[in-house]
Amino acid sequence: MDKAIGQAEANRAGSDDPEIAALRAHLEAHNGIKGLEILQPGDTGHAVDLFRRDGFVVIANALNDEQTEILATGCREVTAEILALDQSRKGNRGSHRYSFGGCSLTRSQLHRPEWQMLLDIPVVTEVVTAIFESSDYVLRAASGDFCLPGAVEYQPLHSDVRDWQAPATTPFSAFHDPRGQLTIRDLPCPYLCVNFLPQAVTRLNGPTRQIPGTQHSRVPIPSLADEPEWMRLSTVCPAPAGAIMIRDVRAWHGGTPNISDAVRAIPNLEFYAPWFREPIVPGITYRDFKKLSDHAQRLVRHCVADSGETLVTGATLRAP
């Protein structure tokens, strides 16, 4: 990712502050899930087992060097467009934190060729198909997030899918058991996210923290004030550029401090299981859709705008 942007942000954030120096030393010594397994393409069965046990799995070498650089370049370009709208770096996911989808007028980056490229990565297709035990899953969005040096606060732990609420409250709560016996956490994975690493994720540049095994937990998610220290250090790092992290979005996760001198980006693809749907917003024009591979067209068939529709794209800080 862009070192120039990162170094400028690190300078703005006062990277020599004694508190930041103490945090850096603490994270260098203790950050990261102990015994984190990083798999290789081809180990699909083990990948599925880890995903179902922990709620996430990391696989290296999903992208080759050329693909990694293409993705990094796209992330740099989108990041620059977003930062031009936010000189104070308030972010839209917390200070110095941004959602690629939440900063897009389409709530997605699917109109970008770099994200379209990710639809045809073989290991993604193989593992996601194995997790869902079907190839009939569909794309929800192409999004992800990035954080800048100066993102010194922890983001609260959260889950990306919720139990049913009345339609007047939100359209994004599809599962409802009128008997009140089952929640969405009692089901097989309904919705997963594949994060792609255009740069290495380290102990210092804002690795995602994942709390293993929480995808089925009905226990309330702890607040930052109540979160134990081991959870703050339960981060998915170190992980190499070109790797992917496949996550059950129900599992508890959150952002961590980026006290490096570079931007950390984790663009993603989000997929619904064949049996699960929530609203999907168009993210690609019909003309660009027809340029995709047959496989990619099948994945994005619910994300394509009508052939007569104009898709308005661009950066924003608050997606409609």
Side-chain angles (χ1 to χ4, degrees):
M1 289 300 295
D2 199 315
K3 279 281 187 179
I5 292 176
Q7 188 59 63
E9 297 298 334
N11 293 339
R12 286 177 54 163
S15 57
D16 295 329
D17 181 279
E19 290 187 7
I20 300 300
L23 178 60
R24 179 179 293 108
H26 179 64
L27 295 180
E28 285 180 331
H30 303 291
N31 208 13
I33 295 172
K34 302 299 185 286
L36 175 68
E37 288 191 70
I38 297 183
L39 306 186
Q40 294 293 328
D43 201 357
T44 301
H46 192 30
V48 173
D49 289 343
L50 289 180
F51 177 87
R52 290 183 175 154
R53 184 191 74 183
D54 297 334
F56 69 94
V57 65
V58 183
I59 304 172
N61 296 310
L63 303 179
N64 61 34
D65 290 345
E66 180 182 5
Q67 291 167 329
T68 301
E69 181 53 37
I70 289 171
L71 185 58
T73 299
C75 288
R76 281 194 292 267
E77 292 176 0
V78 175
T79 296
E81 293 173 359
I82 294 167
L83 295 183
L85 303 177
D86 186 24
Q87 298 299 320
S88 62
R89 305 304 191 243
K90 291 182 179 179
N92 69 353
R93 297 291 300 276
S95 176
H96 293 72
R97 298 186 187 280
Y98 301 82
S99 163
F100 280 122
C103 288
S104 169
L105 289 172
T106 63
R107 302 186 64 85
S108 178
Q109 295 293 337
L110 187 57
H111 60 281
R112 297 277 313 197
E114 301 87 0
W115 272 259
Q116 294 169 17
M117 173 187 73
L118 304 177
L119 296 165
D120 288 309
I121 302 302
V123 66
V124 174
T125 303
E126 185 173 342
V127 176
V128 174
T129 298
I131 288 170
F132 288 141
E133 298 183 344
S134 170
S135 61
D136 198 31
Y137 57 92
V138 299
L139 188 76
R140 174 187 185 270
S143 180
D145 67 71
F146 67 94
C147 63
L148 307 175
V152 297
E153 302 295 332
Y154 282 83
Q155 184 186 44
L157 288 171
H158 58 281
S159 174
D160 289 340
V161 70
R162 68 182 78 192
D163 290 318
W164 185 84
Q165 296 182 16
T169 304
T170 175
F172 297 103
S173 57
F175 179 75
H176 179 47
D177 178 4
R179 304 167 302 166
Q181 295 180 11
L182 298 178
T183 75
I184 199 166
R185 294 184 172 277
D186 299 308
L187 306 177
C189 178
Y191 161 21
L192 63 74
C193 168
V194 183
N195 285 112
F196 298 80
L197 277 54
Q199 78 293 294
V201 173
T202 72
R203 293 178 174 88
L204 301 181
N205 69 352
T208 302
R209 74 190 187 284
Q210 287 279 152
I211 312 305
T214 52
Q215 65 271 28
H216 296 297
S217 176
R218 291 193 183 191
V219 175
I221 300 176
S223 67
L224 277 176
D226 295 330
E227 184 181 344
E229 181 68 5
W230 75 263
M231 286 189 181
R232 293 195 180 216
L233 299 172
S234 183
T235 56
V236 185
C237 71
I244 55 173
M245 178 169 61
I246 305 178
R247 302 186 295 109
D248 184 328
V249 299
R250 298 173 297 179
W252 305 354
H253 61 281
T256 67
N258 182 354
I259 51 176
S260 73
D261 61 356
V263 181
R264 189 278 293 142
I266 46 172
N268 76 19
L269 298 178
E270 302 170 17
F271 297 110
Y272 286 144
W275 49 269
F276 185 80
R277 292 292 185 276
E278 289 181 346
I280 298 175
V281 179
I284 187 172
T285 64
Y286 182 76
R287 180 177 180 180
D288 286 342
F289 167 80
K290 295 299 290 183
K291 298 175 184 177
L292 300 177
S293 69
D294 290 344
H295 169 71
Q297 286 185 19
R298 182 170 178 78
L299 291 179
V300 308
R301 62 189 184 273
H302 295 300
C303 302
V304 60
D306 185 81
S307 59
E309 182 180 352
T310 299
L311 191 69
V312 179
T313 63
T316 178
L317 292 179
R318 292 289 179 269

